[in-house]
Amino acid sequence: GQRDALTLYASQLGWLHSTPKSDKADDEKLSRLDTIVNNGGHVDMPGVGECFYVAEMWQDMGLVSSGGMGPSCLSGVDILAWQQGTQRPVLPWEFTTIRDMSMSYLTMLHEGEKPETGSPLAERIYDPEEFEKRLLASLDSMIDKADK
């Protein structure tokens, strides 16, 4: 549902912001996003529909928090401080979804350093099990309509 779409959005953004490690010393250290754009490619992001405002809130909060050892997941305190400072209410499901988005973003930001890590969006779109489920559901729907 909405939460899955938003965490996929955050994972994809983390992957795009990641910089794959290279063994070559002379390689430019560009994020995947910069590499795609510099090569004239198109950047795909999953749709989040009417919940895009939650993604905007998360981005306004800073995506992640600063920790002593580097970026960390947004904490409950970070979200409450943003809520108090902006005077914008955050519903309970939005609160937990924003924390999940921050964690998903960080996970892919780190995983994306491995050159072989694929796009979370592409993996979701081309997941063979998901494809089979959707295909069977479509066929069942067509059979049900034909029987009527």
Side-chain angles (χ1 to χ4, degrees):
Q2 297 170 332
R3 181 186 217 120
D4 289 340
L6 287 161
T7 54
L8 178 59
Y9 177 91
S11 292
Q12 181 71 1
L13 191 60
W15 181 81
L16 287 166
H17 287 170
S18 68
T19 303
K21 292 187 187 295
S22 174
D23 294 336
K24 300 174 187 167
D26 59 341
D27 274 358
E28 262 191 277
K29 302 290 186 221
L30 294 176
S31 70
R32 291 177 187 274
L33 177 62
D34 290 336
T35 301
I36 292 168
V37 170
N38 289 350
N39 290 320
H42 174 73
V43 176
D44 287 321
M45 289 298 288
V48 292
E50 63 193 31
C51 290
F52 192 76
Y53 75 94
V54 178
E56 288 177 333
M57 289 166 52
W58 170 60
Q59 290 177 9
D60 194 31
M61 290 175 196
L63 307 179
V64 296
S65 189
S66 295
M69 301 292 285
S72 60
C73 178
L74 285 173
S75 70
V77 172
D78 294 326
I79 297 169
L80 291 173
W82 179 87
Q83 180 178 348
Q84 184 177 13
T86 62
Q87 295 296 302
R88 289 177 61 188
V90 178
L91 298 173
W93 79 268
E94 295 166 342
F95 186 96
T96 56
T97 299
I98 288 168
R99 292 224 349 116
D100 290 347
M101 291 173 73
S102 187
M103 184 57 70
S104 295
Y105 174 85
L106 274 176
T107 299
M108 282 313 298
L109 188 66
H110 294 298
E111 286 293 314
E113 291 178 355
K114 300 174 193 165
E116 68 275 7
T117 301
S119 159
L121 180 59
E123 289 175 12
R124 184 67 149 306
I125 292 172
Y126 301 112
D127 177 15
E129 289 178 20
E130 183 66 25
F131 177 78
E132 183 179 3
K133 278 196 266 182
R134 289 183 184 191
L135 178 62
L136 290 173
S138 294
L139 290 173
D140 286 343
S141 175
M142 289 171 49
I143 290 169
D144 287 347
K145 287 180 183 176
D147 288 343
K148 290 183 181 179

